[in-house]
Each structure stands twice: as structure tokens, then as C-alpha cells.
Amino acid sequence: MKNYKPIPLEKGNYYHIYNRGNNGIDIFFDNESYYHFLKLFDKYISPIADIYAWCLLKNHFHILVYTRLDNEIDFEKLEYSTIEKSKSIEPSKQFGYLFNAYTQAINKKFNRTGGLFEKPFERKLITSDKYLQNVIYYIHNNPVQHGFVKQMSLYPWSSYDSILSDKPTKLKRKEIIDIYGNNDEFITYHSQKQNSNEIINFIIE
């Protein structure tokens, strides 16, 4: 087990957040599992963070978020795991509520017990625009890297197609595209093999 103290999620920063099943077990068991995780993500995380990229695979996931400042948080839509509202919002706790709610739902549906995710969940602070570009690419390329599909656009459980679509989304679509310049440059960047060693070196899947 990892012996380290995770960095806190501080407001006003970009983070690459990822986790996998406890001891490498699957965390998504059917299509409904993926949908339910995204539904809970919207419930617990969308009010306190902007989402820039995501990808869900059978035994792990990757998410890129911007954790909002207090004056950017949608307190009216904020969901807690307790009836009494918290006096201060801690992004790490909100992610904990998400993972606990999902685990409870999966355990009930599939008649299982015990933890589902490794603890603590992994998080990396994004420290530059180039790193931000590369993390988005890395997240979208994960299904290709793991051999699920031959190209990113063919994988159904990632944000790649939603970013290029004109359908309503809670993704920060314009901001994401602006990171690359325009839609064509976004596609071009994602169609070329990028050097993700600086990311991969930190990640064990």
C-alpha cells in the first residue's frame, strides 16, 4: 500500500484526479454503472468544480477538474452526505461523498460488501498550460493506450466526442478548445502521438 500523504485539493487549481478498483478489481460492471457514476459526479462535484476531461474504464478512471473558488461554487445545488450543511466546502470531501455513494450503490446492486476504490484517491496538481494540454490528451487516449479501441472517438465513456459536439454539456467546452486554439487544432493535437512520459511516470494502472 502506498505510504504517502496526498496533497489537499485547494480551490482555484486544476487537478488530474484518478483512481482504480481496490486491488485492481473492476469498478464498472455494466452500462448502467458508467451512467450512475456520471450522475453522481454531477450531483456531488459539478457544483464545486468545472470538468475539463474525463474517461471511465473498467477498473479505473481519469478526471480533469478545476476546483472553484468559494464565490464560484453553486451552493444551491450542492449535495452533502449529511443533512446538516457544512460551513466550509472541502473539494476532497465532496469527492469522498461521490466515491462512497457509488460504492454503496454498486454493493447493493451486485450484492457485494467492502471497499470498491483504492484510498486515498490520486490527484496531481496541473502546473502549466502545456501540462494541461497533455493531460487532456492523455485522458482521452487512455482507451487507445489500453487497447479498447483504435481511436479516441470510438470509445463511448470519455469526454472526447462531447468536446467536439454542439449538444448541451457541462464540460467547459469553449475553454477546452481555446487551450488548443480551435476545433481543428484540438483534433490535430489528439491525432498525433504526444509525449506523456511526465504523466505516465506518476501513474500506476
Side-chain angles (χ1 to χ4, degrees), residues 51 54 162-163 165-174:
I51 183 164
W54 59 270
S162 295
I163 290 171
S165 171
D166 57 5
K167 295 179 180 178
T169 181
K170 289 191 175 181
L171 286 165
K172 303 300 286 186
R173 181 182 284 145
K174 181 183 183 303

Side-chain angles (χ1 to χ4, degrees), residues 54-66:
W54 59 270
C55 184
L56 312 180
L57 296 105
K58 283 187 68 67
N59 70 345
H60 68 284
F61 68 82
H62 294 273
I63 300 170
L64 174 61
V65 296
Y66 164 78

Side-chain angles (χ1 to χ4, degrees), residues 24-28 34 55-62 138-158 205:
I25 64 171
D26 286 349
I27 55 177
F28 301 108
Y34 293 97
C55 184
L56 312 180
L57 296 105
K58 283 187 68 67
N59 70 345
H60 68 284
F61 68 82
H62 294 273
Y138 175 83
I139 290 173
H140 290 149
N141 192 56
N142 230 242
V144 179
Q145 177 186 331
H146 288 282
F148 288 105
V149 291
K150 292 189 180 297
Q151 60 189 59
M152 301 176 202
S153 60
L154 298 177
Y155 190 71
W157 303 110
S158 90
E205 294 171 351

Side-chain angles (χ1 to χ4, degrees), residues 1 4 10 15 19 28 41 52 67 88 94 97 113 125 128 130 149 156 163 165 181 183 189 197:
M1 191 71 182
Y4 76 99
E10 297 182 349
Y15 290 98
N19 206 351
F28 301 108
F41 184 92
Y52 278 70
T67 48
S88 63
Q94 289 298 125
Y97 299 155
T113 59
L125 176 66
S128 70
K130 181 61 180 174
V149 291
I163 290 171
S165 171
N183 279 27
Y189 189 97
N197 287 339

